Each structure stands twice: as C-alpha cells, then as structure tokens.
Amino acid sequence: MEADTDVRLRREAAEYYRAHRVPQRMEEALNALFPLRPADLYGELANYFSKFSRAPVVCKLAGRKVLDGVGQPTLEVEIYCTVKNYEKRICSAIISSHYQIPENAFSEATEADERERNDSVTTAVEWVNESLSAMLRDLKPTDQCEIDKMLGEYFSKKVEEKKEVEKEEEEEDTLSITSCIPSAVAQSGQKKEAKPGKKSSTEITIPPAEPSESVLCGSLAIGGTSLAIAKAGASINHVPLYLHIALLKRSQDSPKEMTLPLPMVTLLSYEKLSPAKLKLMKEVMLIPPVQLSLKQGIERALDIQKEMMRLLEPAGKAQLSPQLADSKKGRAHNKEKKASPPALNGVSHLGCLITGCDNLEQPLLLIQTACNNIGLELGTDMYLAINCAAHELMDYVKGKYEILTGTFRSPDEMVDMYVELVNKFPSIIALVDPLRKEDRQQWNNMCCALGSKCYLIAEDAATNSSKLKTDHNINIPMCSGVVLKYVNQTKVSDLIELTGLLDGQRRITILGSPDGESSDDSLVDLGMMQILNLLILLKNHSQKNNSLKSFLPCSRIQRLHSPLCQPCRVTACLLSSWRAAH
C-alpha cells in the first residue's frame, strides 16, 4: 500500500515538474554555469531561476502619520508586495502637505489650520489602510497607469459622496430655517438687497476674486499612493525612479539622453506684515547660468548668500561696491539710505534670508552689490526670478495692489511698473504670479511687452494639476509657463500627461515644492521626466539637501550621455532658449 502511494506521488511530482519545465531549465542552468564555475554556485542558480518567478504583486498598503521637516503632520505610504511567495516591504513615500505655513498668523487661524491638517492626514491614513489597500491587492506595481486610473475613480466617488452629503445638509438647514424664523429671513433678505445698492456707489472696477478651490479631506492618500507605487515599480525593475518615470512617459522606450532640470534657489524673502514698506517681492530667487554644473551653480548661490548675510549685518559693517557707488543708481541709493542697508531679520522656515526694504530697487541693488563684491556679474554669472505673489496684495476696496505700504497700483499700472523694472534690471528673467489670474487682459499686455525678455509664470494663477489635466483648455491667463506641485490627489500619470500637454503648447513647466518640507527626495525624480522645458524650484532646507543628493548621481549620467550641455546639464531650455533668442 505504501509502495503504491510512493509510486503515485513520484508520478505526480514528475508530471508537476515537467509541466513547469523544471528538468529542462535545470539542465540549461547547469550547462550555462559549469563553464563559469562561479564561486557562489547556489547564488548563481538562485539568480538564474529568479527570471522565471512570478512578478511581484501588491499584498497590502500601510499608511501612517509622520512629521515633515517643520514638525507638521503629513502622510507616509508603505508598499508591501508578495515576492517569491513571501511578503516583503518594497518602499515608502512621503507626500508634502499643500497647507501653507502662515507667517505671523493669528492663533485662532493657526489652530483651525492645524485641525484641518490633522483631519486630512487622519482620513488619508484610513483610506490607505482600508479601501486602497484592498482595492490594489494582487496588482502589479509596474502597472502605474492602470493603478492611477483606479485611484482617480476612487477619488471621484469620494467627491460625489461629499457633494451628496453637503446637499442633504443644505436641504435640512433650509427646512429648519424656513420653518423656524421666516420673518427674520425676509428681513435679512431685504437688508442684503440694500447692500448692493451701496456698493454700486463705491465702484469696484476689477474682476472679483475667483473662489478658492476646495481640497477634499484625505486627498493626500491619492497622491501618496501613486508616488509610492511609482517608487515600488522602479525598485522592482531595478532602475532609478527618474528613469522609471521617463520610461512611463516614453511608453517604455529607453531615453537616449537624460536632462537635468535647473534649480531656482530662494535667496531673499519679504514678509507682508514686516515694518518695512516693500510688499511686492515675496521671494527673490537665484538661477545659475547654463554653462555651470549643478555643484558649481549651488556653490555660487551659497557664495552670494554668504555675501548677502555680510551686507545685512548691523550698520557700518557693509558698504556698497565701488562700481555701484560710482554709478548714478549707486549715488541715489546711498543718498536714500544714508544710515545703513536693510537689516537681516532672520532665516525663514524655507531656509532663505528674511529682510525688509523700502522700495522695489533696493533688494535688486543689494544682490547686485553682493555679486560685485565677490567678482560676479548679475545677468551673466547669475540670473534672478521674482515670486511677486500679487494675489496676496490686492486691496479689494480700492481695487488696487498695495506694492509698498500706502502705495497702490492698478492692474494697468502694474504692467507699466514691471516693464520699467525688467528694463532697468535685465538680470530678471522670470516673474512668478505678477498679477492675479482674474486680470487676464493685463496678463496679455505683459506677455506682449515682456514676452521676449522675461518669463511670466503662473503659480497661484494656475489651478491644481488634476483640474488642469481634465480641462484641456487650461483655464489660465496667457503666460510663459506654469508651476506644478505634486500635492493632494495629483498622480504621477497626471504629471506625465499634463507636462506633455504644456510642452505641446510651448509653455515652460516648473515643478515647485510646497511649503511643507518632506524628507522624501522624489521631487527631483519627478523633475527628470524628460521634459525639455522644466525648472525645479528648491525652497526648503531639508528638501533642498535631499534633492541635491539625488541630483549629483544624475549629473554624472548627464555628463556621459547628453550632448546638449557643457559639461553637466541643460537648463531645461529656459536660459539656453532665452539666450538663443537674444
């Protein structure tokens, strides 16, 4: 009886292994490895047979709340896969929060913002650990497009659910109000009718601000999961994340060359609520020239920052350069600022110098002085970009922008002011959000006046990445380019599709980092999507350091394979195309 059982088991085993071609492949492996006589024979056998194993599939997702670089809660998503019959942690991704960190905000507003942030992260953790983990089980992490499509459908359902809940709440509120205090409602309605009559006398000639886009609580889960899946796919394919994304963009065609994006490094920041007069320049950024390697560009920016810190020391320690002092501008500047240059107020959470100035030219002259002092020429050895953040300056009562304390400009006057500023300082090659998105005619006028001299970039004036993708008309004002941020429900596939769309419209694409710092260095990999028109905005200390660590290996790849740059990178065709046109 036992003998019959043994014979039957041997027969079944032989059929099982024969069906999986084990004897044939074992013979092939032994024949292939014998001439090599590897020191680790079993290791080589394991490598040989690993080619025939099943592709890893997702077995679970794990979401958890972590702290970002400034101690604020955000989301981390971990990917676990079944690899060769065992559960294995593949990678994790941390997505930056879209919440801006307010400067000098009231305690009530800060507390409300913190509650909203915590609720969003908590909801995102629940989505990842429950719904998304079950939904993506047994899928291949290398199927990025399919998974992103499922994530998009899941998010759309959540949006519809929220709309239904809000609609029911509105109906209940309407019923309770009409049944309880109909007379009070009628009186309040009459009062509200009287107000427009008053406002018509105080004429507002500017278009009203468009309502801010609502962010669905928990939407971090979508972007975090998509990025984690991309990192898992790269890990399984044994390629860097930037190459994995480039292959997704090119439908798995291996790129012949890689293009490094150009960093924009924030040097100065001007607080809106500071005692100084200047309000217009939220950030002044440095853009290294194209001929420098990444390392050389960053070192040059650091040299300028050190000299700026020296100039911003207490009065008497810093003086203007002889070249600037001899010029008419320098004499006028000295006359205006007899006492001392502006003082350094500290370093912001973004890692840039905070100071205050009394006019538009003062910070630019200060940077020019710093460059001259260390033997650099602004406009040749370094370029400038200004984040104007004009949407934060609009006084809706006066219908004008408050560029300096007590100094207001209409949208048309703003255009004239920017034209004069760029003509006086040709080293300015980019203006970010110079106007509100509602002032479309003035955007058009600026593009006509400055389009050949300066890039006009829409950040706040552009909508979020997901809506830009669905709205193929891209409802943004006329501009040279758009700042994209990987936040909330934005997916890797969205960025790939949207950058291709913008590139087809000959717009510059800037990948910006949100205010919330993240220890994840994937920002740089997302910037390596083989987009020829791309800059990367490095603003945060920790994110800047992590990004540079990822940049440097890419620099070596660039030097070996790309004929477009000398010696290390191309500037995303921004400065190179700008120079070619001039």
Side-chain angles (χ1 to χ4, degrees), residues 272-328:
K272 298 291 185 291
L273 300 179
S274 68
K277 291 184 178 180
L278 181 61
K279 296 180 179 295
L280 179 65
M281 298 180 184
K282 183 175 183 178
E283 295 174 299
V284 181
M285 295 169 281
L286 300 175
I287 305 178
V290 61
Q291 65 269 20
L292 297 184
S293 67
L294 176 74
K295 182 179 179 181
Q296 291 170 333
I298 296 300
E299 287 177 348
R300 184 170 291 184
L302 289 174
D303 290 340
I304 295 173
Q305 185 192 47
K306 290 176 184 177
E307 181 61 21
M308 288 289 294
M309 293 181 72
R310 190 188 70 81
L311 291 174
L312 294 172
E313 285 177 352
K317 291 189 178 181
Q319 294 181 354
L320 293 174
S321 64
Q323 297 94 326
L324 188 62
D326 289 342
S327 66
K328 291 182 180 179

Side-chain angles (χ1 to χ4, degrees), residues 46-61:
N47 293 336
Y48 185 89
F49 283 107
S50 66
K51 297 182 295 185
F52 306 107
S53 63
R54 289 186 177 181
V57 294
V58 176
C59 61
K60 73 173 183 179
L61 272 60

Side-chain angles (χ1 to χ4, degrees), residues 158-167 214-216:
K158 289 292 183 181
V159 172
E160 292 301 321
E161 290 175 5
K162 182 185 177 183
K163 288 181 179 178
E164 290 178 3
V165 171
E166 289 177 346
K167 186 177 179 181
S214 61
V215 177
L216 182 64

Side-chain angles (χ1 to χ4, degrees), residues 72 99-106 109-111 113-114 117 271 273 349 515:
Q72 297 296 331
Y99 291 96
Q100 291 189 352
I101 301 170
E103 303 278 359
N104 305 318
F106 295 110
T110 302
E111 290 175 2
D113 186 68
E114 288 179 354
R117 182 197 295 262
E271 296 178 331
L273 300 179
H349 66 277
D515 281 356

Side-chain angles (χ1 to χ4, degrees), residues 282-570:
K282 183 175 183 178
E283 295 174 299
V284 181
M285 295 169 281
L286 300 175
I287 305 178
V290 61
Q291 65 269 20
L292 297 184
S293 67
L294 176 74
K295 182 179 179 181
Q296 291 170 333
I298 296 300
E299 287 177 348
R300 184 170 291 184
L302 289 174
D303 290 340
I304 295 173
Q305 185 192 47
K306 290 176 184 177
E307 181 61 21
M308 288 289 294
M309 293 181 72
R310 190 188 70 81
L311 291 174
L312 294 172
E313 285 177 352
K317 291 189 178 181
Q319 294 181 354
L320 293 174
S321 64
Q323 297 94 326
L324 188 62
D326 289 342
S327 66
K328 291 182 180 179
K329 292 178 184 177
R331 288 196 297 271
H333 181 74
N334 284 326
K335 186 177 179 180
E336 183 180 342
K337 298 293 295 177
K338 287 181 180 178
S340 66
L344 179 64
N345 297 336
V347 179
S348 75
H349 66 277
L350 299 178
C352 51
L353 306 178
I354 300 176
T355 185
C357 289
D358 295 328
N359 59 64
L360 292 175
E361 297 184 10
Q362 193 174 3
L364 304 177
L365 291 169
L366 190 63
I367 297 173
Q368 190 173 20
T369 300
C371 289
N372 291 341
N373 288 351
I374 58 176
L376 300 177
E377 183 180 351
L378 197 60
T380 301
D381 301 314
M382 187 63 72
Y383 298 89
L384 297 179
I386 299 175
N387 181 7
C388 306
H391 55 282
E392 300 177 5
L393 306 177
M394 175 56 71
D395 186 320
Y396 285 94
V397 176
K398 293 181 171 64
K400 294 183 177 182
Y401 296 93
E402 187 177 15
I403 60 171
L404 303 169
T405 302
T407 302
F408 297 87
R409 293 286 185 271
S410 68
D412 289 324
E413 291 171 337
M414 291 286 284
V415 175
D416 297 335
M417 180 197 68
Y418 286 126
V419 171
E420 182 181 354
L421 189 66
V422 171
N423 288 335
K424 189 174 292 187
F425 296 92
S427 57
I428 301 173
I429 61 167
L431 295 173
V432 182
D433 283 340
L435 296 162
R436 300 181 312 142
K437 58 185 172 184
E438 294 83 4
D439 296 324
R440 297 181 184 276
Q441 183 58 51
Q442 285 73 25
W443 276 91
N444 295 347
N445 297 342
M446 278 192 67
C447 284
C448 294
L450 294 176
S452 61
K453 300 178 180 180
C454 179
Y455 286 91
L456 306 176
I457 309 297
E459 181 177 1
D460 182 79
T463 183
N464 66 52
S465 301
S466 298
K467 289 190 176 181
L468 280 175
K469 186 178 76 72
T470 55
D471 181 11
H472 287 281
N473 294 322
I474 304 189
N475 187 26
I476 55 177
M478 180 184 290
C479 59
S480 311
V482 177
V483 176
L484 302 179
K485 294 183 180 181
Y486 192 86
V487 292
N488 300 326
Q489 70 271 19
T490 304
K491 303 179 290 295
V492 172
S493 298
D494 294 340
L495 281 186
I496 292 174
E497 183 178 346
L498 184 56
T499 49
L501 182 63
L502 291 169
D503 190 44
Q505 297 185 349
R506 303 180 66 82
R507 293 180 191 250
I508 299 295
T509 306
I510 297 181
L511 185 60
S513 61
D515 281 356
E517 294 187 12
S518 169
S519 58
D520 200 305
D521 57 10
S522 304
L523 178 69
V524 173
D525 295 275
L526 292 172
M528 294 288 293
M529 288 192 287
Q530 286 303 117
I531 307 158
L532 292 181
N533 294 329
L534 188 139
L535 299 176
I536 188 164
L537 188 57
L538 299 179
K539 292 165 47 172
N540 305 327
H541 261 329
S542 65
Q543 189 153 9
K544 186 185 301 180
N545 293 335
N546 286 319
S547 298
L548 295 182
K549 291 175 185 176
S550 291
F551 253 133
L552 295 179
C554 302
S555 302
R556 291 193 288 274
I557 294 172
Q558 174 80 17
R559 188 181 300 114
L560 290 173
H561 297 291
S562 176
L564 298 179
C565 58
Q566 299 290 335
C568 173
R569 69 155 186 263
V570 74

Side-chain angles (χ1 to χ4, degrees), residues 199-254:
K199 281 191 177 179
S200 61
S201 61
T202 310
E203 190 172 348
I204 298 178
T205 59
I206 63 167
E210 296 178 9
S212 59
E213 297 169 5
S214 61
V215 177
L216 182 64
C217 184
S219 59
L220 280 170
I222 305 301
T225 301
S226 178
L227 181 57
I229 288 293
K231 295 180 73 171
S235 177
I236 289 168
N237 288 334
H238 305 289
V239 296
L241 178 57
Y242 68 84
L243 181 57
H244 177 68
I245 294 174
L247 292 172
L248 290 173
K249 182 175 176 64
R250 292 171 171 262
S251 302
Q252 301 302 320
D253 290 335
S254 181

